[in-house]
Amino acid sequence: MSIGFLNRLLKALQKQSRGLNSYRLNQWFKWLSPGLAIKRWLLISLGGVLLAILGLAISVKLTPIFWAIELLRSFLAVIAEILPHYISGPLVLLAGLLLLVWGQTRTVGSITQVLRPDSEEELIDVLMAHRRLYRGPKIVVIGGGTGLSTLLRGLKTYSANITAIVTVADDGGSSGRLRQEFGVLPPGDIRNCLAALANEEKLLTELFQYRFKAGDGLTGHSFGNLFLTAMSDITGDLEQAVAASSQVLAVQGQVLPATLSNVTLWAELEDGRRVEGESSIPEAGGKIVKIGCIPPHPPALPAAIKAIKDADYIIIGPGSLYTSIIPNLLIPEIADAIAKSAAPRIYICNIMTQPGETQGYTVGDHIQAIDTACGNRQLFDAVLVHKKSPSPASLIRYAQQNSHPVFLDRENVTLLGRRIVLANVLHEDETGYVRHNPQKLARVLLRWYSGNHHGK
């Protein structure tokens, strides 16, 4: 009879708590996952409590322990007289476990409320996600413009060990004005990358991207550009300004200018003209045959070279070929470091041609332009090319601007010694504007890396 009663009691408790408690039990078992550095501290804390109790007992000649044991013995004796041991034992055990779980649940809940007051996410899930991201591969991404920031938004869900190396050749818009008026390096592309890597700091990110619409001298400037300019003046250079801004925005990874030199791009066109200035090159409307910079061999930022040497994975692009990607590779130390790296290296080709830069270019033409700019060296092993053509509406929209999908000339790409990675990574908005989808692009890149890394 007693055993049957116990079985019915256990079944009833199991049925009642199956829904919520199964989830809670699963959450609690996560705390025992390897690598969280939780179990060791719990054991140390428990050891401290036991030692403190033992010390107190010794100091009073063990009298409390004696009476505690006597009280416990009397209590157990009473229970044993009322209920058999095979019932009273499991009941006491169950009561102890319930108290333990209740106490620890309230403890973790209190900690979570302090650390993440507005979040519905469990603290253990946050810790496990943190561990996964910081164990991710060391990824170096090289480029500039909106293409780079788009890629970073996708990559940051796979790794926190991201370094974005950004061109500082921009001389147009807000960045160009600040460059002319204050003599600082252009902050625009760096600002976009910082915002892309910001970790759940929505209000600060919106503030950093806010662009003034009125005000004498303020119109057209973004708050982030002005902030970075002020920080550059306070800290002494753009590198320190970016580091300070990264702390404010809780950036996941790091953003580095390719160089701290005041670089000016120049391009020689097919008709013999020489055009200077990053913003002037696309507007010149000619075919680019050669590109360079002033000074001709700017020194690289040492931190950027170290990041490339330590990289598990190097990604070039996406972005404007001649004004976002190649300017980074015109810095000899950066090109040399990439060439010497044993990490998998991939180039993300643009989906559409760009008037004034890559009009009529194929995938092979993009690759050839990069190789030529870097002294005819192969800086990457593979090229990622979008698979499907944009919608007819988008094609018409772009054709009106003399822009067309980049044609994949497979034979030429193969002759250039590159592997082709085909994937559907396009995002097309309601206006027909085409760009890479951050999540799809990052997923394809990490899948390719998983199949090609060499266990550095």
Side-chain angles (χ1 to χ4, degrees):
M1 176 70 72
S2 298
I3 295 177
F5 169 75
L6 178 60
N7 287 335
R8 288 197 301 274
L9 177 63
L10 291 175
K11 287 181 181 179
L13 288 172
Q14 182 182 18
K15 183 176 180 181
Q16 183 177 2
S17 62
R18 182 173 296 159
L20 180 61
N21 287 348
S22 61
Y23 168 76
R24 180 55 57 190
L25 189 62
N26 180 54
Q27 292 296 107
W28 271 104
F29 271 116
K30 287 182 181 179
W31 286 98
L32 302 179
S33 299
L36 287 179
I38 296 294
K39 299 185 293 297
R40 72 190 72 168
W41 303 121
L42 287 176
L43 290 174
I44 288 174
S45 300
L46 180 60
V49 171
L50 292 175
L51 286 174
I53 293 174
L54 180 60
L56 179 63
I58 292 173
S59 67
V60 295
K61 299 181 180 180
L62 299 178
T63 302
I65 292 181
F66 172 77
W67 287 112
I69 293 173
E70 283 296 307
L71 180 62
L72 180 62
R73 186 183 65 80
S74 301
F75 175 71
L76 293 177
V78 170
I79 292 179
E81 291 177 2
I82 299 174
L83 294 172
H85 67 87
Y86 48 81
I87 295 178
S88 58
L91 285 177
V92 172
L93 176 62
L94 180 62
L97 290 176
L98 288 174
L99 287 174
L100 177 63
V101 171
W102 180 46
Q104 289 299 306
T105 300
R106 296 302 300 268
T107 301
V108 174
S110 299
I111 295 172
T112 304
Q113 184 63 28
V114 172
L115 297 179
R116 300 174 65 83
D118 299 322
S119 177
E120 296 180 359
E121 198 172 5
E122 293 280 352
L123 181 59
I124 181 58
D125 292 327
V126 174
L127 289 174
M128 294 187 72
H130 181 274
R131 181 190 65 170
R132 176 180 60 82
L133 288 174
Y134 281 87
R135 286 185 173 183
K138 296 176 182 176
I139 304 174
V140 171
V141 186
I142 300 168
T146 56
L148 182 59
S149 55
T150 297
L151 172 60
L152 294 176
R153 287 188 183 91
L155 286 179
K156 73 176 183 180
T157 61
Y158 292 92
S159 177
N161 303 311
I162 300 172
T163 299
I165 299 176
V166 187
T167 177
V168 288
D170 189 9
D171 63 358
S174 170
S175 293
R177 288 165 56 193
L178 292 171
R179 185 175 181 177
Q180 291 174 2
E181 294 171 14
F182 295 95
V184 297
L185 293 177
D189 287 350
I190 291 175
R191 182 201 79 238
N192 287 330
C193 291
L194 287 172
L197 288 175
N199 185 21
E200 297 185 89
E201 296 289 338
K202 188 173 185 296
L203 183 60
L204 282 175
T205 303
E206 289 179 359
L207 175 64
F208 223 58
Q209 295 287 61
Y210 176 78
R211 197 171 292 275
F212 292 93
K213 300 177 178 64
D216 187 18
L218 285 177
T219 305
H221 282 304
S222 72
F223 176 83
N225 283 359
L226 296 176
F227 181 85
L228 286 171
T229 300
M231 288 297 294
S232 296
D233 189 41
I234 292 170
T235 60
D237 61 48
L238 185 60
E239 181 183 11
Q240 297 301 319
V242 172
S245 303
S246 297
Q247 293 180 352
V248 171
L249 291 170
V251 165
Q252 186 174 290
Q254 62 177 342
V255 180
L256 301 174
T259 179
L260 294 180
S261 296
N262 189 9
V263 174
T264 300
L265 283 183
W266 58 262
E268 290 183 3
L269 307 183
E270 194 174 40
D271 57 11
R273 286 181 295 159
R274 178 185 168 101
V275 182
E276 290 190 2
E278 180 267 344
S279 60
S280 301
I281 291 172
E283 295 174 358
K287 181 177 175 59
I288 299 170
V289 294
K290 190 176 182 181
I291 192 161
C293 65
I294 304 170
H297 302 293
L301 190 74
I305 299 303
K306 184 180 185 304
I308 294 172
K309 289 180 178 178
D310 295 341
D312 298 319
Y313 191 15
I314 298 175
I315 302 171
I316 300 172
S320 299
L321 179 63
Y322 287 105
T323 54
S324 291
I325 294 174
I326 289 180
N328 295 288
L329 307 178
L330 292 176
I331 301 170
E333 292 170 281
I334 288 182
D336 292 343
I338 297 172
K340 293 175 183 176
S341 175
R345 299 160 299 173
I346 191 169
Y347 164 58
I348 304 171
C349 191
N350 290 339
I351 298 173
M352 308 296 292
T353 61
Q354 187 172 351
E357 285 198 43
T358 57
Q359 189 172 330
Y361 271 40
T362 64
V363 174
D365 291 333
H366 282 74
I367 296 171
Q368 187 65 62
I370 295 174
D371 290 352
T372 301
C374 303
N376 293 313
R377 288 182 294 178
Q378 293 190 9
L379 298 190
F380 51 89
D381 315 301
V383 56
L384 192 153
V385 183
H386 178 64
K387 195 173 183 179
K388 291 184 179 179
S389 178
S391 69
S394 286
L395 293 176
I396 294 172
R397 179 187 185 276
Y398 276 88
Q400 292 172 348
Q401 303 169 7
N402 206 15
S403 176
H404 306 277
V406 177
F407 175 71
L408 173 57
D409 48 341
R410 290 176 177 271
E411 186 176 349
N412 193 24
V413 173
T414 302
L415 290 174
L416 289 168
R418 289 350 193 269
R419 283 173 284 169
I420 300 170
V421 180
L422 278 175
N424 294 317
V425 291
L426 176 144
H427 172 76
E428 187 176 316
D429 64 19
E430 60 278 0
T431 65
Y433 180 71
V434 168
R435 61 181 182 273
H436 286 94
N437 180 291
Q439 288 73 35
K440 290 181 180 178
L441 183 59
R443 188 162 54 247
V444 170
L445 288 169
L446 267 296
R447 188 184 303 131
W448 184 81
Y449 166 76
S450 297
N452 289 275
H453 73 91
H454 309 299
K456 279 190 63 182

